[in-house]
Amino acid sequence: SPAPHLSFPFRGLQISSFANRSWTRTDGLAWLGELQPYTLRNESNTIGFLKPWSRGTFSDQQWEQLQHTFLVYRSSFTRDIWEFVKMLPSDYPLEIQVSGGCELLPRNISESFLRAAFQGKDVLSFQGMSWVSAPDAPPLIEEVIKVLNQDQGTKETVHWLLHDICPELVRGLLQTGKSELEKQVKPEAWLSSGPSPGPGRLLLVCHVSGFYPKPVRVMWMKGEQEEPGTRQGDVMPNVDSTWYLRVTLDVAAGEAAGLSCQVKHSSLGDQDIILYWDGNHVS
Ligand code: J76
């Protein structure tokens, strides 16, 4: 079965939209692995805790300080961009996405990153102690980088957030959120037929739903052999933070009997789910 998660990357995301010279909004959210512990909506001046364990092991005072840092950043960032727009040839609407985070690795090591995209393309990142432009960023980004690199205070704050705060936050969340992060929820599976792909053909559909965590392996089988024509859909979210997947197989109507759908998931141990196509699934 797919191995359960051993590592939980933490990523904070910022989405800033500048529609025109006066309308803008910035939303923030953060993920730990597949779960979202935080939100910071444009309309709000407080970090929203979405999980009972979101506080981690930080004190109320530490959270006050972090929240203050992000609120100052949000308004400074917006002001900065209004200024940069004057020096860039770009016109509204502008879309800026910032993502940053960290992951704890074995031997007490952690890895951090921070990067920003402009109009959907990577333009800059933070490396070591300074801002650098992305490989094929437009030349004018160099001007932005120059300005950003002159602000020693901000560079120190970014370094502190990435290399001190982030790994410490994650260490705490892995303790307080342990049972939810490591939960195992078994999938249910069922078969149906889809719209016929053509005369004399059947579309066999294997539905797998309600599993957590996300890694899963679903195959149409003939005996011990995987059917090469198996087509995986995308793993889709259910509302309860479990997942749903459908896997299809296009076969000649006469060859459907004896095929089976096999589901492997960490919650099932070695007890794969196996469902046999018996011809009663034709709708
Ligand atoms: C993603 C987390 C970054 C946290 C940074 C926190 C620091 C901060 O808020 N700096 C702003 C205020 O800085 C002043 O006050 C500080 C103390 O609060 C220090 O004393 C500091 O020395 C002093 O200057 C500062 O205004 C920053 O410039 C805010 C914005 C930083 C930034 O991320 N800019 C940015 C990011 C991406 C700009 C552009 C892009 C993408 C390119 C878009 C192309 C148009």
Side-chain angles (χ1 to χ4, degrees):
S1 315
H5 281 297
L6 298 170
S7 91
F8 295 90
F10 181 87
R11 38 174 58 91
L13 308 174
Q14 173 196 335
I15 302 170
S16 294
S17 306
F18 296 77
N20 53 50
R21 218 182 292 182
S22 63
W23 193 97
T24 179
R25 65 173 297 137
T26 289
D27 295 285
L29 55 165
W31 296 87
L32 181 61
E34 298 173 26
L35 304 176
Q36 186 189 347
Y38 309 107
T39 177
L40 179 50
R41 289 176 52 78
N42 185 69
E43 293 76 18
S44 174
N45 287 331
T46 54
I47 297 174
F49 286 0
L50 303 180
K51 300 286 180 187
W53 42 269
S54 293
R55 192 169 296 270
T57 52
F58 284 177
S59 64
D60 289 354
Q61 195 203 326
Q62 279 175 302
W63 276 111
E64 284 297 325
Q65 187 194 356
L66 273 178
Q67 186 170 277
H68 179 256
T69 301
F70 284 115
L71 295 181
V72 169
Y73 162 73
R74 186 172 69 182
S75 55
S76 317
F77 172 84
T78 307
R79 187 177 22 72
D80 278 13
I81 299 301
W82 298 126
E83 287 307 311
F84 285 138
V85 174
K86 294 177 188 164
M87 45 190 264
L88 298 172
S90 15
D91 201 6
Y92 298 100
L94 311 179
E95 207 56 49
I96 298 172
Q97 293 155 286
V98 182
S99 64
C102 63
E103 184 165 355
L104 302 184
L105 302 174
R107 285 192 248 106
N108 237 358
I109 299 170
S110 72
E111 226 170 52
S112 300
F113 73 96
L114 179 67
R115 60 172 174 269
F118 175 59
Q119 311 295 48
K121 291 195 169 66
D122 271 327
V123 289
L124 58 84
S125 67
F126 191 78
Q127 304 288 341
M129 208 44 193
S130 46
W131 299 95
V132 300
S133 62
D136 26 47
L140 277 145
I141 292 296
E142 293 301 342
E143 303 303 315
V144 175
I145 301 270
K146 229 174 265 170
V147 176
L148 287 174
N149 276 328
Q150 280 161 10
D151 187 347
Q152 198 60 33
T154 291
K155 292 196 286 184
E156 279 163 15
T157 303
V158 171
H159 187 273
W160 170 73
L161 287 171
L162 289 179
H163 298 280
D164 300 326
I165 295 300
C166 187
E168 196 187 333
L169 174 65
V170 171
R171 233 167 258 129
L173 291 173
L174 293 178
Q175 292 176 37
T176 58
K178 187 176 168 60
S179 59
E180 189 173 346
L181 288 160
E182 292 179 356
K183 78 178 172 183
Q184 292 287 326
V185 187
K186 289 182 182 166
E188 282 180 57
W190 67 96
L191 306 178
S192 73
S193 60
S196 172
R201 302 203 64 85
L202 278 179
L203 189 68
L204 313 191
V205 186
C206 181
H207 307 256
V208 182
S209 186
F211 55 93
Y212 183 95
K214 195 173 182 179
V216 69
R217 201 173 141 69
V218 182
M219 283 301 297
W220 278 102
M221 310 285 292
K222 181 173 271 171
E224 301 283 275
Q225 286 290 102
E226 293 182 1
E227 279 290 301
T230 298
R231 290 188 36 163
Q232 286 250 346
D234 294 329
V235 179
M236 303 296 286
N238 284 322
V239 282
D240 60 355
S241 79
T242 65
W243 298 98
Y244 170 83
L245 174 67
R246 45 175 271 161
V247 170
T248 59
L249 184 67
D250 174 350
V251 288
E255 285 162 22
L259 288 167
S260 62
C261 174
Q262 179 189 59
V263 181
K264 290 175 176 287
H265 186 262
S266 51
S267 64
L268 300 168
D270 295 326
Q271 307 300 122
D272 301 348
I273 296 176
I274 301 176
L275 296 176
Y276 290 89
W277 186 267
D278 62 9
N280 293 327
H281 305 290
V282 185
S283 54

